[in-house]
Amino acid sequence: MARRVLYSRHGLTPRSRRWQRVLEIVPGACSWGLLLGLTALAVYWPLAAAALTIAFYLYWLLRLLYLTLFLIIAYARLALEQQTDWMARLQALDRGAPVPARGWRQEYSAWLAQRRLRALKRAGQSLPPSTAVYHVVILPIAAETREVYEPSVRSLSRQTFPSARTLLVLAVEDRASAEVKAEAQAVQAAYRARFLDVLVVRHPDGLPGEARVKGANATYAAKAAAAALQARGLALEQVVLSCFDADTTVTSQYIACLTYHFLVTRDRTRASFQPIPVYHNNIWEVPAFARVLDIGASFFQLIEATNPEKLVTFSSHSMSFQALAEVGYWPVDMISDDSAIFWKAYLAFEGRYQAVPMYITVSMDIAASRSWWGTMRNVYRQKRRWAWGVENFPLIVRGFWRSRRIPRWDRWRLGFKMLESHVSWATWPFLIGVLGWLPI
């Protein structure tokens, strides 16, 4: 069972509130200390500053080579799995037959699949039939119009996996305009026959303890979906829940691929499943700088997929519905809920939780506007929202302090990685582009 975790900065004891505030200051203090410290060093001791700058450039070069290597490996794996017929692989899994393969790429992919199956059998875990697995897909909607999320609904209705075993939930904010609500009802009527059901769930505004964030909307919708599933006699342990951004479109093999990974994962109800996000929906409709920035975000996720021990959920992702319910759903007062749900589950299950990479893509929109400057502003706001993931840092560190079952090395390793990633994101562009010239 999951351990109860208060994953919030609210409702704390006075002592916990003081530690929360100290830990909230740490990432920013480290970032400003690094920038101001190097600036002062360049003024008063330029030779030492030059030496440190050169050492940093060498480190950056080595790290760049390291990241490039793993980017190539991840892209090769993604290209390898592009031709995989995941539905055929599921059917072979149900029959206990060899994985079908044609050509060297599929043969290598099949060998990787067989190796994973052997590991699952050695662990003594059963393999339920794919026909027992159901899916819930939540699309949070605030001000998005039908033309934004209908392509997502359409892509979900055209899966090789039977859509009759997928429950689609349109999670509409009650504060949305009447037009947005009417469009959601129209989409429900148009696509209801293609799914197990299509629910339109209106999230009331201003519920106690909630902020106006996506996590609050998704949590309310997930609870409504749980009630609908239980009314149909479906257990949450056989359900995989996906929370997508409204503009997320998927390939026809996505649900089959997700089902396969769910079945062959050890401790499948203690896992999240992370595809590779790409921003292709409107790539030729935005300025070049926006394409470069969002392709860079996809590169970063490709690199992260090569290291499952450090992988954290990001943007559109999936997880066991049972795990989601046990940990109390998404935080309802946080901006960065995508990674927060992973850390909340990791703490609740005391380290016995994992993020499983899936080498299949989901496509979303680049944050665009009608003008060049408007697009720049929207892209900046999107990156600022991602960077706000640092709000997880004090909650995670406090959780690590209280947990004794998570190995000490893992607590130190993961805590340092999170701190280092946010400090480097905030400081390295300035170190490379500006401060490196100061000693001269």
Side-chain angles (χ1 to χ4, degrees), residues 101-155:
R102 294 180 181 178
W104 70 269
R105 291 184 179 182
Q106 292 189 28
E107 288 177 359
Y108 183 64
S109 175
W111 177 79
L112 292 173
Q114 290 294 339
R115 187 177 68 170
R116 195 167 182 177
L117 285 173
R118 288 193 294 268
L120 190 68
K121 291 178 180 178
R122 285 196 300 269
Q125 296 202 356
S126 60
L127 196 66
S130 65
T131 53
V133 179
Y134 285 76
H135 290 267
V136 172
V137 180
I138 297 177
L139 298 179
I141 299 168
E144 290 83 359
T145 60
R146 179 174 180 171
E147 65 180 6
V148 172
Y149 60 85
E150 188 172 14
S152 178
V153 176
R154 192 181 304 117
S155 69

Short mmCIF file of all heavy atoms in Angstrom, two decimals, residues 101-155:
data_model
loop_
_atom_site.label_atom_id
_atom_site.label_comp_id
_atom_site.label_asym_id
_atom_site.label_seq_id
_atom_site.Cartn_x
_atom_site.Cartn_y
_atom_site.Cartn_z
N ALA A 101 8.61 -10.97 -36.76
CA ALA A 101 9.70 -10.07 -37.16
C ALA A 101 10.03 -10.28 -38.63
O ALA A 101 10.09 -11.42 -39.11
CB ALA A 101 10.93 -10.31 -36.31
N ARG A 102 10.24 -9.17 -39.32
CA ARG A 102 10.68 -9.19 -40.71
C ARG A 102 11.78 -8.15 -40.87
O ARG A 102 11.57 -6.97 -40.59
CB ARG A 102 9.53 -8.86 -41.66
CG ARG A 102 8.43 -9.92 -41.70
CD ARG A 102 7.33 -9.50 -42.67
NE ARG A 102 6.26 -10.49 -42.71
CZ ARG A 102 5.15 -10.35 -43.45
NH1 ARG A 102 4.99 -9.25 -44.19
NH2 ARG A 102 4.23 -11.29 -43.42
N GLY A 103 12.93 -8.59 -41.32
CA GLY A 103 14.06 -7.68 -41.47
C GLY A 103 14.87 -7.59 -40.20
O GLY A 103 14.40 -7.93 -39.11
N TRP A 104 16.10 -7.08 -40.32
CA TRP A 104 17.02 -7.08 -39.18
C TRP A 104 16.56 -6.14 -38.06
O TRP A 104 16.77 -6.42 -36.88
CB TRP A 104 18.42 -6.70 -39.63
CG TRP A 104 18.59 -5.26 -40.06
CD1 TRP A 104 18.45 -4.75 -41.30
CD2 TRP A 104 18.93 -4.17 -39.19
NE1 TRP A 104 18.66 -3.39 -41.29
CE2 TRP A 104 18.97 -3.01 -40.01
CE3 TRP A 104 19.20 -4.05 -37.85
CZ2 TRP A 104 19.27 -1.75 -39.50
CZ3 TRP A 104 19.49 -2.79 -37.34
CH2 TRP A 104 19.53 -1.66 -38.16
N ARG A 105 15.90 -5.04 -38.44
CA ARG A 105 15.43 -4.11 -37.40
C ARG A 105 14.37 -4.76 -36.52
O ARG A 105 14.44 -4.69 -35.28
CB ARG A 105 14.86 -2.84 -38.04
CG ARG A 105 15.91 -1.96 -38.72
CD ARG A 105 15.28 -0.68 -39.22
NE ARG A 105 16.28 0.17 -39.85
CZ ARG A 105 16.03 1.38 -40.35
NH1 ARG A 105 14.80 1.87 -40.27
NH2 ARG A 105 16.98 2.09 -40.91
N GLN A 106 13.38 -5.39 -37.14
CA GLN A 106 12.34 -6.02 -36.37
C GLN A 106 12.88 -7.24 -35.61
O GLN A 106 12.41 -7.55 -34.51
CB GLN A 106 11.19 -6.45 -37.28
CG GLN A 106 10.43 -5.25 -37.86
CD GLN A 106 9.17 -5.67 -38.60
OE1 GLN A 106 8.57 -6.69 -38.29
NE2 GLN A 106 8.78 -4.89 -39.58
N GLU A 107 13.86 -7.92 -36.18
CA GLU A 107 14.45 -9.06 -35.48
C GLU A 107 15.18 -8.60 -34.21
O GLU A 107 15.08 -9.25 -33.16
CB GLU A 107 15.42 -9.80 -36.41
CG GLU A 107 14.73 -10.59 -37.51
CD GLU A 107 15.72 -11.24 -38.45
OE1 GLU A 107 16.95 -11.06 -38.25
OE2 GLU A 107 15.27 -11.93 -39.38
N TYR A 108 15.90 -7.50 -34.32
CA TYR A 108 16.58 -6.98 -33.13
C TYR A 108 15.57 -6.50 -32.09
O TYR A 108 15.72 -6.74 -30.89
CB TYR A 108 17.53 -5.85 -33.52
CG TYR A 108 18.32 -5.30 -32.36
CD1 TYR A 108 19.25 -6.09 -31.69
CD2 TYR A 108 18.15 -3.99 -31.93
CE1 TYR A 108 19.98 -5.61 -30.62
CE2 TYR A 108 18.87 -3.49 -30.86
CZ TYR A 108 19.78 -4.30 -30.21
OH TYR A 108 20.49 -3.82 -29.15
N SER A 109 14.51 -5.82 -32.56
CA SER A 109 13.46 -5.38 -31.65
C SER A 109 12.80 -6.58 -30.98
O SER A 109 12.50 -6.55 -29.78
CB SER A 109 12.42 -4.56 -32.41
OG SER A 109 11.33 -4.22 -31.59
N ALA A 110 12.57 -7.66 -31.75
CA ALA A 110 11.96 -8.86 -31.19
C ALA A 110 12.88 -9.51 -30.15
O ALA A 110 12.41 -10.03 -29.13
CB ALA A 110 11.64 -9.86 -32.31
N TRP A 111 14.19 -9.46 -30.40
CA TRP A 111 15.13 -10.02 -29.44
C TRP A 111 15.09 -9.24 -28.12
O TRP A 111 15.10 -9.83 -27.03
CB TRP A 111 16.54 -9.98 -30.01
CG TRP A 111 17.59 -10.47 -29.05
CD1 TRP A 111 17.90 -11.76 -28.73
CD2 TRP A 111 18.46 -9.64 -28.25
NE1 TRP A 111 18.89 -11.81 -27.79
CE2 TRP A 111 19.26 -10.52 -27.47
CE3 TRP A 111 18.63 -8.27 -28.12
CZ2 TRP A 111 20.23 -10.05 -26.59
CZ3 TRP A 111 19.59 -7.81 -27.24
CH2 TRP A 111 20.37 -8.68 -26.49
N LEU A 112 15.00 -7.91 -28.22
CA LEU A 112 14.88 -7.09 -27.01
C LEU A 112 13.59 -7.42 -26.26
O LEU A 112 13.57 -7.49 -25.02
CB LEU A 112 14.90 -5.60 -27.38
CG LEU A 112 16.22 -5.04 -27.91
CD1 LEU A 112 16.03 -3.60 -28.39
CD2 LEU A 112 17.31 -5.09 -26.85
N ALA A 113 12.51 -7.65 -27.02
CA ALA A 113 11.23 -7.98 -26.39
C ALA A 113 11.30 -9.33 -25.68
O ALA A 113 10.79 -9.48 -24.56
CB ALA A 113 10.12 -7.98 -27.44
N GLN A 114 11.92 -10.31 -26.33
CA GLN A 114 12.03 -11.64 -25.71
C GLN A 114 12.88 -11.59 -24.44
O GLN A 114 12.59 -12.26 -23.45
CB GLN A 114 12.63 -12.64 -26.71
CG GLN A 114 11.71 -12.99 -27.85
CD GLN A 114 10.48 -13.76 -27.39
OE1 GLN A 114 10.46 -14.36 -26.32
NE2 GLN A 114 9.43 -13.72 -28.20
N ARG A 115 13.93 -10.78 -24.46
CA ARG A 115 14.77 -10.65 -23.28
C ARG A 115 13.97 -10.06 -22.12
O ARG A 115 14.11 -10.49 -20.96
CB ARG A 115 15.98 -9.76 -23.60
CG ARG A 115 17.00 -9.70 -22.48
CD ARG A 115 18.20 -8.88 -22.88
NE ARG A 115 17.86 -7.47 -23.04
CZ ARG A 115 18.78 -6.51 -23.19
NH1 ARG A 115 20.06 -6.81 -23.23
NH2 ARG A 115 18.41 -5.25 -23.31
N ARG A 116 13.11 -9.11 -22.41
CA ARG A 116 12.28 -8.51 -21.38
C ARG A 116 11.27 -9.51 -20.83
O ARG A 116 11.00 -9.55 -19.63
CB ARG A 116 11.57 -7.29 -21.96
CG ARG A 116 10.95 -6.37 -20.93
CD ARG A 116 10.57 -5.06 -21.59
NE ARG A 116 10.02 -4.14 -20.62
CZ ARG A 116 9.65 -2.89 -20.93
NH1 ARG A 116 9.82 -2.46 -22.16
NH2 ARG A 116 9.16 -2.09 -20.01
N LEU A 117 10.71 -10.33 -21.71
CA LEU A 117 9.76 -11.34 -21.27
C LEU A 117 10.43 -12.38 -20.37
O LEU A 117 9.85 -12.82 -19.37
CB LEU A 117 9.13 -12.03 -22.49
CG LEU A 117 8.06 -11.23 -23.25
CD1 LEU A 117 7.66 -11.97 -24.51
CD2 LEU A 117 6.85 -10.98 -22.37
N ARG A 118 11.65 -12.77 -20.73
CA ARG A 118 12.37 -13.74 -19.90
C ARG A 118 12.64 -13.17 -18.50
O ARG A 118 12.53 -13.88 -17.50
CB ARG A 118 13.67 -14.15 -20.59
CG ARG A 118 13.47 -15.06 -21.80
CD ARG A 118 14.79 -15.67 -22.24
NE ARG A 118 15.71 -14.66 -22.74
CZ ARG A 118 15.80 -14.30 -24.01
NH1 ARG A 118 15.00 -14.86 -24.93
NH2 ARG A 118 16.67 -13.38 -24.40
N ALA A 119 12.99 -11.89 -18.45
CA ALA A 119 13.22 -11.25 -17.14
C ALA A 119 11.94 -11.22 -16.32
O ALA A 119 11.97 -11.42 -15.10
CB ALA A 119 13.76 -9.84 -17.35
N LEU A 120 10.80 -11.00 -16.98
CA LEU A 120 9.52 -10.97 -16.27
C LEU A 120 9.19 -12.35 -15.72
O LEU A 120 8.71 -12.48 -14.58
CB LEU A 120 8.41 -10.49 -17.22
CG LEU A 120 7.05 -10.17 -16.60
CD1 LEU A 120 7.15 -8.95 -15.71
CD2 LEU A 120 6.01 -9.95 -17.69
N LYS A 121 9.46 -13.39 -16.49
CA LYS A 121 9.19 -14.76 -16.03
C LYS A 121 10.11 -15.15 -14.89
O LYS A 121 9.69 -15.82 -13.94
CB LYS A 121 9.33 -15.74 -17.20
CG LYS A 121 8.23 -15.59 -18.25
CD LYS A 121 8.44 -16.55 -19.41
CE LYS A 121 7.33 -16.38 -20.46
NZ LYS A 121 7.54 -17.28 -21.62
N ARG A 122 11.37 -14.72 -14.96
CA ARG A 122 12.30 -15.02 -13.86
C ARG A 122 11.84 -14.37 -12.56
O ARG A 122 12.09 -14.88 -11.47
CB ARG A 122 13.72 -14.55 -14.21
CG ARG A 122 14.43 -15.44 -15.22
CD ARG A 122 15.92 -15.14 -15.22
NE ARG A 122 16.20 -13.75 -15.58
CZ ARG A 122 16.42 -13.33 -16.81
NH1 ARG A 122 16.38 -14.18 -17.84
NH2 ARG A 122 16.68 -12.06 -17.05
N ALA A 123 11.17 -13.21 -12.68
CA ALA A 123 10.67 -12.52 -11.49
C ALA A 123 9.40 -13.18 -10.95
O ALA A 123 8.90 -12.79 -9.89
CB ALA A 123 10.38 -11.06 -11.81
N GLY A 124 8.87 -14.17 -11.69
CA GLY A 124 7.69 -14.90 -11.23
C GLY A 124 6.39 -14.14 -11.35
O GLY A 124 5.43 -14.43 -10.64
N GLN A 125 6.34 -13.17 -12.27
CA GLN A 125 5.13 -12.38 -12.42
C GLN A 125 4.29 -12.91 -13.58
O GLN A 125 4.82 -13.28 -14.63
CB GLN A 125 5.47 -10.91 -12.64
CG GLN A 125 6.16 -10.28 -11.44
CD GLN A 125 6.03 -8.78 -11.43
OE1 GLN A 125 5.50 -8.18 -12.34
NE2 GLN A 125 6.52 -8.15 -10.37
N SER A 126 2.99 -12.94 -13.38
CA SER A 126 2.08 -13.46 -14.40
C SER A 126 1.89 -12.43 -15.51
O SER A 126 2.14 -11.24 -15.34
CB SER A 126 0.72 -13.79 -13.78
OG SER A 126 0.14 -12.63 -13.20
N LEU A 127 1.43 -12.92 -16.64
CA LEU A 127 1.23 -12.07 -17.81
C LEU A 127 -0.25 -12.14 -18.19
O LEU A 127 -0.68 -13.09 -18.85
CB LEU A 127 2.11 -12.55 -18.96
CG LEU A 127 2.33 -11.59 -20.12
CD1 LEU A 127 3.11 -10.37 -19.65
CD2 LEU A 127 3.06 -12.27 -21.25
N PRO A 128 -1.07 -11.19 -17.77
CA PRO A 128 -2.50 -11.24 -18.10
C PRO A 128 -2.71 -11.01 -19.59
O PRO A 128 -1.87 -10.45 -20.28
CB PRO A 128 -3.08 -10.09 -17.27
CG PRO A 128 -1.95 -9.15 -17.07
CD PRO A 128 -0.72 -10.00 -16.99
N PRO A 129 -3.85 -11.45 -20.12
CA PRO A 129 -4.13 -11.23 -21.55
C PRO A 129 -4.37 -9.75 -21.83
O PRO A 129 -4.87 -9.01 -20.97
CB PRO A 129 -5.39 -12.06 -21.79
CG PRO A 129 -6.05 -12.16 -20.45
CD PRO A 129 -4.93 -12.19 -19.45
N SER A 130 -4.02 -9.35 -23.04
CA SER A 130 -4.22 -7.94 -23.40
C SER A 130 -5.69 -7.57 -23.44
O SER A 130 -6.04 -6.39 -23.30
CB SER A 130 -3.58 -7.67 -24.76
OG SER A 130 -4.24 -8.40 -25.79
N THR A 131 -6.57 -8.56 -23.61
CA THR A 131 -8.01 -8.27 -23.66
C THR A 131 -8.54 -7.84 -22.30
O THR A 131 -9.68 -7.34 -22.22
CB THR A 131 -8.77 -9.52 -24.13
OG1 THR A 131 -8.39 -10.64 -23.31
CG2 THR A 131 -8.44 -9.84 -25.58
N ALA A 132 -7.75 -8.03 -21.24
CA ALA A 132 -8.19 -7.63 -19.90
C ALA A 132 -7.81 -6.18 -19.59
O ALA A 132 -8.20 -5.66 -18.53
CB ALA A 132 -7.59 -8.55 -18.85
N VAL A 133 -7.05 -5.54 -20.47
CA VAL A 133 -6.55 -4.19 -20.21
C VAL A 133 -7.48 -3.15 -20.84
O VAL A 133 -7.87 -3.27 -22.00
CB VAL A 133 -5.12 -4.02 -20.75
CG1 VAL A 133 -4.62 -2.59 -20.50
CG2 VAL A 133 -4.18 -5.04 -20.12
N TYR A 134 -7.80 -2.14 -20.05
CA TYR A 134 -8.60 -1.01 -20.54
C TYR A 134 -7.79 0.28 -20.37
O TYR A 134 -6.82 0.33 -19.63
CB TYR A 134 -9.92 -0.90 -19.75
CG TYR A 134 -10.94 -1.95 -20.15
CD1 TYR A 134 -10.81 -3.27 -19.72
CD2 TYR A 134 -12.01 -1.62 -20.98
CE1 TYR A 134 -11.74 -4.23 -20.09
CE2 TYR A 134 -12.95 -2.57 -21.34
CZ TYR A 134 -12.80 -3.88 -20.90
OH TYR A 134 -13.73 -4.83 -21.28
N HIS A 135 -8.26 1.30 -21.08
CA HIS A 135 -7.54 2.58 -21.05
C HIS A 135 -8.50 3.73 -20.75
O HIS A 135 -9.67 3.70 -21.16
CB HIS A 135 -6.84 2.83 -22.39
CG HIS A 135 -5.70 1.93 -22.65
ND1 HIS A 135 -4.40 2.26 -22.33
CD2 HIS A 135 -5.66 0.67 -23.19
CE1 HIS A 135 -3.61 1.25 -22.66
NE2 HIS A 135 -4.33 0.28 -23.18
N VAL A 136 -7.97 4.72 -20.05
CA VAL A 136 -8.66 5.99 -19.85
C VAL A 136 -7.73 7.08 -20.35
O VAL A 136 -6.55 7.10 -20.00
CB VAL A 136 -9.00 6.23 -18.37
CG1 VAL A 136 -9.54 7.65 -18.16
CG2 VAL A 136 -10.02 5.21 -17.87
N VAL A 137 -8.25 7.96 -21.18
CA VAL A 137 -7.47 9.10 -21.69
C VAL A 137 -8.19 10.38 -21.29
O VAL A 137 -9.36 10.57 -21.61
CB VAL A 137 -7.30 9.04 -23.22
CG1 VAL A 137 -6.48 10.24 -23.69
CG2 VAL A 137 -6.63 7.75 -23.64
N ILE A 138 -7.47 11.24 -20.56
CA ILE A 138 -8.03 12.51 -20.10
C ILE A 138 -7.43 13.65 -20.92
O ILE A 138 -6.20 13.75 -21.05
CB ILE A 138 -7.74 12.73 -18.60
CG1 ILE A 138 -8.43 11.66 -17.76
CG2 ILE A 138 -8.21 14.12 -18.16
CD1 ILE A 138 -8.15 11.78 -16.27
N LEU A 139 -8.29 14.49 -21.46
CA LEU A 139 -7.86 15.70 -22.17
C LEU A 139 -8.36 16.92 -21.40
O LEU A 139 -9.54 17.26 -21.47
CB LEU A 139 -8.43 15.72 -23.60
CG LEU A 139 -8.01 14.60 -24.55
CD1 LEU A 139 -8.69 14.77 -25.90
CD2 LEU A 139 -6.51 14.56 -24.72
N PRO A 140 -7.50 17.57 -20.60
CA PRO A 140 -7.93 18.78 -19.88
C PRO A 140 -8.18 19.94 -20.85
O PRO A 140 -7.36 20.22 -21.73
CB PRO A 140 -6.76 19.07 -18.95
CG PRO A 140 -5.97 17.79 -18.89
CD PRO A 140 -6.15 17.17 -20.24
N ILE A 141 -9.31 20.61 -20.68
CA ILE A 141 -9.70 21.71 -21.58
C ILE A 141 -10.07 22.91 -20.73
O ILE A 141 -10.93 22.82 -19.84
CB ILE A 141 -10.90 21.29 -22.47
CG1 ILE A 141 -10.52 20.09 -23.35
CG2 ILE A 141 -11.36 22.45 -23.33
CD1 ILE A 141 -11.72 19.45 -24.03
N ALA A 142 -9.42 24.03 -20.99
CA ALA A 142 -9.73 25.27 -20.29
C ALA A 142 -10.33 26.28 -21.26
O ALA A 142 -11.51 26.63 -21.17
CB ALA A 142 -8.49 25.84 -19.62
N ALA A 143 -9.51 26.73 -22.22
CA ALA A 143 -10.01 27.66 -23.22
C ALA A 143 -9.81 27.12 -24.63
O ALA A 143 -10.07 27.82 -25.61
CB ALA A 143 -9.30 29.01 -23.07
N GLU A 144 -9.33 25.87 -24.74
CA GLU A 144 -9.02 25.29 -26.05
C GLU A 144 -10.31 25.08 -26.85
O GLU A 144 -11.32 24.60 -26.33
CB GLU A 144 -8.30 23.95 -25.89
CG GLU A 144 -6.88 24.07 -25.36
CD GLU A 144 -6.80 24.18 -23.86
OE1 GLU A 144 -7.88 24.20 -23.21
OE2 GLU A 144 -5.69 24.27 -23.32
N THR A 145 -10.26 25.44 -28.11
CA THR A 145 -11.41 25.26 -28.99
C THR A 145 -11.39 23.86 -29.58
O THR A 145 -10.42 23.11 -29.45
CB THR A 145 -11.38 26.29 -30.13
OG1 THR A 145 -10.16 26.12 -30.89
CG2 THR A 145 -11.43 27.71 -29.58
N ARG A 146 -12.47 23.50 -30.24
CA ARG A 146 -12.62 22.16 -30.82
C ARG A 146 -11.51 21.85 -31.81
O ARG A 146 -11.01 20.72 -31.86
CB ARG A 146 -13.99 22.05 -31.48
CG ARG A 146 -14.25 20.70 -32.14
CD ARG A 146 -15.68 20.61 -32.65
NE ARG A 146 -15.93 19.32 -33.27
CZ ARG A 146 -17.14 18.89 -33.66
NH1 ARG A 146 -18.21 19.67 -33.48
NH2 ARG A 146 -17.29 17.70 -34.23
N GLU A 147 -11.09 22.85 -32.58
CA GLU A 147 -10.07 22.59 -33.60
C GLU A 147 -8.72 22.24 -32.96
O GLU A 147 -7.87 21.65 -33.63
CB GLU A 147 -9.91 23.80 -34.50
CG GLU A 147 -9.37 25.05 -33.81
CD GLU A 147 -9.22 26.23 -34.75
OE1 GLU A 147 -9.65 26.12 -35.91
OE2 GLU A 147 -8.68 27.26 -34.30
N VAL A 148 -8.53 22.55 -31.69
CA VAL A 148 -7.28 22.20 -31.01
C VAL A 148 -7.28 20.74 -30.58
O VAL A 148 -6.30 20.02 -30.79
CB VAL A 148 -7.06 23.12 -29.78
CG1 VAL A 148 -5.88 22.64 -28.96
CG2 VAL A 148 -6.85 24.56 -30.23
N TYR A 149 -8.38 20.26 -29.96
CA TYR A 149 -8.35 18.92 -29.38
C TYR A 149 -9.06 17.85 -30.20
O TYR A 149 -8.90 16.66 -29.94
CB TYR A 149 -8.92 18.94 -27.96
CG TYR A 149 -10.35 19.39 -27.82
CD1 TYR A 149 -11.42 18.51 -27.99
CD2 TYR A 149 -10.66 20.70 -27.48
CE1 TYR A 149 -12.73 18.92 -27.84
CE2 TYR A 149 -11.97 21.12 -27.32
CZ TYR A 149 -13.00 20.23 -27.51
OH TYR A 149 -14.31 20.64 -27.37
N GLU A 150 -9.83 18.24 -31.21
CA GLU A 150 -10.49 17.20 -32.01
C GLU A 150 -9.50 16.32 -32.77
O GLU A 150 -9.72 15.10 -32.88
CB GLU A 150 -11.51 17.81 -32.98
CG GLU A 150 -12.33 16.72 -33.68
CD GLU A 150 -13.48 17.28 -34.50
OE1 GLU A 150 -13.50 18.51 -34.76
OE2 GLU A 150 -14.36 16.49 -34.88
N PRO A 151 -8.37 16.86 -33.29
CA PRO A 151 -7.38 15.95 -33.90
C PRO A 151 -6.87 14.90 -32.93
O PRO A 151 -6.60 13.76 -33.33
CB PRO A 151 -6.27 16.91 -34.33
CG PRO A 151 -6.95 18.21 -34.56
CD PRO A 151 -8.02 18.28 -33.52
N SER A 152 -6.76 15.26 -31.65
CA SER A 152 -6.35 14.28 -30.64
C SER A 152 -7.40 13.19 -30.49
O SER A 152 -7.10 11.99 -30.44
CB SER A 152 -6.11 14.99 -29.30
OG SER A 152 -5.76 14.06 -28.30
N VAL A 153 -8.68 13.60 -30.39
CA VAL A 153 -9.77 12.64 -30.28
C VAL A 153 -9.82 11.74 -31.50
O VAL A 153 -9.99 10.51 -31.40
CB VAL A 153 -11.11 13.39 -30.09
CG1 VAL A 153 -12.28 12.40 -30.06
CG2 VAL A 153 -11.08 14.22 -28.82
N ARG A 154 -9.64 12.33 -32.68
CA ARG A 154 -9.68 11.55 -33.91
C ARG A 154 -8.56 10.53 -33.95
O ARG A 154 -8.76 9.37 -34.35
CB ARG A 154 -9.58 12.50 -35.11
CG ARG A 154 -9.89 11.84 -36.45
CD ARG A 154 -9.74 12.82 -37.60
NE ARG A 154 -10.58 13.99 -37.40
CZ ARG A 154 -10.13 15.23 -37.27
NH1 ARG A 154 -8.82 15.47 -37.30
NH2 ARG A 154 -10.96 16.24 -37.10
N SER A 155 -7.35 10.93 -33.54
CA SER A 155 -6.22 9.99 -33.55
C SER A 155 -6.45 8.84 -32.57
O SER A 155 -6.06 7.70 -32.83
CB SER A 155 -4.92 10.72 -33.22
OG SER A 155 -4.89 11.15 -31.87
#
